Amino acid sequence: IHGAHGYLIHNFLSPLTNQRTDHYGGSLENRARFLLEVVKSVRANFPAEKPIFLRVSASDLVEEVEGIDASWEIEQTIQIAKWVRDAGIDVLHVSSGGNTAQQKILTAPGYQVPFAEQIKRAVPGLAVVAVGIILDGPQAEEVLQSEKADLVAAGRTFLRHPNFALNSARELNVKAVFSQQYSRGRTIHG
């Protein structure tokens, strides 16, 4: 379930975009209602042995908008994380921004990792994915070893460096494991 970056579900969650006055607007509980209905429906119709991932925006990265509490505080995201864990989400993929032109994104390597770390520490029993300019294997490994997240995603890095996984394995002195159909191409046969 993809709930971040201006997509439908995050438009319900964010006080910046959700101006509804019915039971899907106003309080955090109301703004989260649509998400929780979707999660419960997916969980009821998805094999129990398979994990369900949800991507959320931990912050809209907007300081203020006239007349609207524009802060998408981490405390709200932590509460939502608890609710979705209890509703059947197994893995929470934590991102930020992307919902409004008023956002102010100050990027640096690992800039979104603190959001994932705060959620991981506050919501036991929920696996958390960190993102945010993951540049190399040692950086990703540091996030995992310091228990800031359970998983690391490096989407844009793969666009710039398609061999990111192989390079990271080399940097970390780890043998890369290939799927069976590709392993034969890794050796020279006579």
Side-chain angles (χ1 to χ4, degrees):
I1 302 170
H2 201 298
H5 302 297
Y7 290 96
L8 179 63
I9 294 174
H10 187 70
N11 283 323
F12 276 83
L13 293 172
S14 173
L16 291 176
T17 52
N18 185 339
Q19 301 301 302
R20 297 175 68 111
T21 58
D22 62 6
H23 64 279
Y24 289 101
S27 69
L28 179 61
E29 292 81 4
N30 284 354
R31 294 192 324 265
R33 184 182 313 273
F34 179 64
L35 166 63
L36 294 172
E37 289 173 356
V38 170
V39 169
K40 287 175 185 173
S41 179
V42 170
R43 182 76 280 169
N45 292 286
F46 198 70
E49 69 277 5
K50 294 188 178 189
I52 298 176
F53 286 61
L54 171 67
R55 184 171 178 162
V56 296
S57 221
S59 172
D60 281 324
L61 302 175
V62 174
E63 292 181 19
E64 61 182 75
V65 173
E66 189 176 325
I68 298 173
D69 175 13
S71 59
W72 183 240
E73 299 294 331
I74 190 67
E75 291 80 19
Q76 292 179 343
T77 306
I78 288 170
Q79 182 57 58
I80 289 169
K82 290 174 182 177
W83 290 336
V84 298
R85 175 203 58 201
D86 295 346
I89 292 295
D90 301 291
V91 182
L92 193 68
H93 189 280
V94 183
S95 187
S96 67
N99 196 38
T100 178
Q102 293 100 338
Q103 67 190 6
K104 302 253 188 293
I105 302 176
L106 303 174
T107 62
Y111 77 101
Q112 296 182 100
V113 172
F115 294 127
E117 181 179 11
Q118 291 176 66
I119 293 168
K120 178 175 171 45
R121 299 212 188 292
V123 187
L126 181 66
V128 176
V129 180
V131 299
I133 308 183
I134 306 300
L135 297 174
D136 55 33
Q139 179 193 11
E141 187 66 13
E142 187 279 326
V143 169
L144 299 173
Q145 291 300 319
S146 61
E147 298 183 357
K148 295 175 183 173
D150 301 293
L151 302 156
V152 174
R156 291 184 182 140
T157 296
F158 273 103
L159 293 175
R160 291 187 300 275
H161 308 287
N163 289 326
F164 175 71
L166 292 174
N167 293 339
S168 293
R170 197 172 12 260
E171 292 167 342
L172 296 169
N173 198 28
V174 173
K175 182 179 179 186
V177 178
F178 291 82
S179 62
Q180 190 257 341
Q181 63 267 39
Y182 293 111
S183 62
R184 195 168 145 242
R186 301 276 303 150
T187 59
I188 299 173
H189 297 282

